[in-house]
Amino acid sequence: MAKFWDYLYFLPEPTYWVFTINHLYLLAFVVGLILMLTFLLPRKNEKAMRVTFLALGITLATLEILRIVWAYGYYTAHNEPTDAAFWWWTISFQICAISAWSTVFTMMASFFLKKDHPVLQFMYPILLGMALVGVALGFVYPDMIEEMKPFFHFRNLQTVVTLALLIFSPIYLIRTRRYVVKMSDLWKVAFGWFSAICISMSASLISGQCFGFSLNCNLMEAIGLFIPFPFHLILLGLIMMAISFSLFKLLTLGRNRKGSQTAEAKGKLFHQKKQTQSTVFL
């Protein structure tokens, strides 16, 4: 714990997280955290849910601000200038950071606005595609973990907890019925991905940096798919939309099935009451 905030602390040798036993430990930690939050946080009391939305937004914002503060201290400790690369990569212009700040805005707004507000109903499906599907794919190939720092170093722990909360936020919105999934909202997922990529690409060009992850896809190359730029971006977008489509379809089918079962149960109860009334009358 003494090395938690240490900027200059490095492991004697790297710890590999991709496709190793450490990868399984990482997934177990993330899934366990999400399941714990899913079962512990309120989902029936409206006031408690709104407070939880606000708490999630504040927590994510705090984690992101601490990440920026830590990175600034790291640059300072190494006597490196906080130039254009710093504000683009560290503050809010990589795709994961855009997803994080979008989630912060949406969760905080959920505290103040009604659930049928058009802004929220526009943002909810975007979070379902970007924060849930996109971040979940990131854990398939977790190269965001710094190999030369221990897992419980602030840098790695902040990354993992933030990404886990990004996955959990849309799950919580659905479980509390704040957002009811509709297939007609799928185009908003594509709009969210396209907008995030455009913002990140523009910021990288303004700062004079290469657009992160644009030249190759480590996950594709790890499984033997060496697709040249820019076609790998098109394929990656199609994969993300296919997963989002499957997720939306699964959730809508589950809701429709549950709704039909509820309607059937109400119908049986109604007929039973009518039969009882008829028997008493006779």
Side-chain angles (χ1 to χ4, degrees), residues 89-222:
W89 187 255
T90 302
I91 297 179
S92 60
F93 294 102
Q94 51 174 309
I95 294 178
C96 287
I98 293 173
S99 298
W101 288 113
S102 300
T103 304
V104 168
F105 166 78
T106 305
M107 300 308 287
M108 287 187 173
S110 296
F111 173 78
F112 297 100
L113 304 177
K114 296 182 178 180
K115 65 179 181 180
D116 57 350
H117 195 281
V119 173
L120 294 180
Q121 291 302 313
F122 186 81
M123 290 300 300
Y124 286 157
I126 292 179
L127 292 191
L128 187 58
M130 289 183 59
L132 198 158
V133 176
V135 175
L137 283 176
F139 282 112
V140 175
Y141 194 91
D143 56 352
M144 67 283 196
I145 307 295
E146 294 192 18
E147 298 176 347
M148 294 305 297
K149 297 185 182 300
F151 179 78
F152 287 104
H153 187 280
F154 169 77
R155 182 69 170 179
N156 283 334
L157 194 60
Q158 184 274 339
T159 299
V160 173
V161 172
T162 299
L163 296 182
L165 290 178
L166 291 183
I167 295 175
F168 171 74
S169 294
I171 294 175
Y172 187 63
L173 290 171
I174 293 172
R175 279 183 60 82
T176 57
R177 300 191 64 80
R178 187 78 179 187
Y179 172 61
V180 178
V181 180
K182 302 183 290 290
M183 290 301 297
S184 58
D185 287 340
L186 193 61
W187 70 271
K188 298 175 184 177
V189 177
F191 177 83
W193 280 111
F194 180 76
S195 300
I197 291 174
C198 288
I199 293 172
S200 184
M201 175 75 81
S202 300
S204 67
L205 292 175
I206 293 173
S207 66
Q209 307 298 315
C210 172
F211 173 52
F213 314 117
S214 68
L215 300 181
N216 56 22
C217 178
N218 293 334
L219 176 57
M220 290 184 188
E221 293 185 358

Side-chain angles (χ1 to χ4, degrees), residues 33 49-50 53 57 85-86 124 128 147 200 204 217 231 274:
L33 178 60
M49 288 190 304
R50 292 168 71 91
F53 296 145
F86 176 81
Y124 286 157
L128 187 58
E147 298 176 347
S200 184
S204 67
C217 178
F231 301 105
K274 296 297 289 184

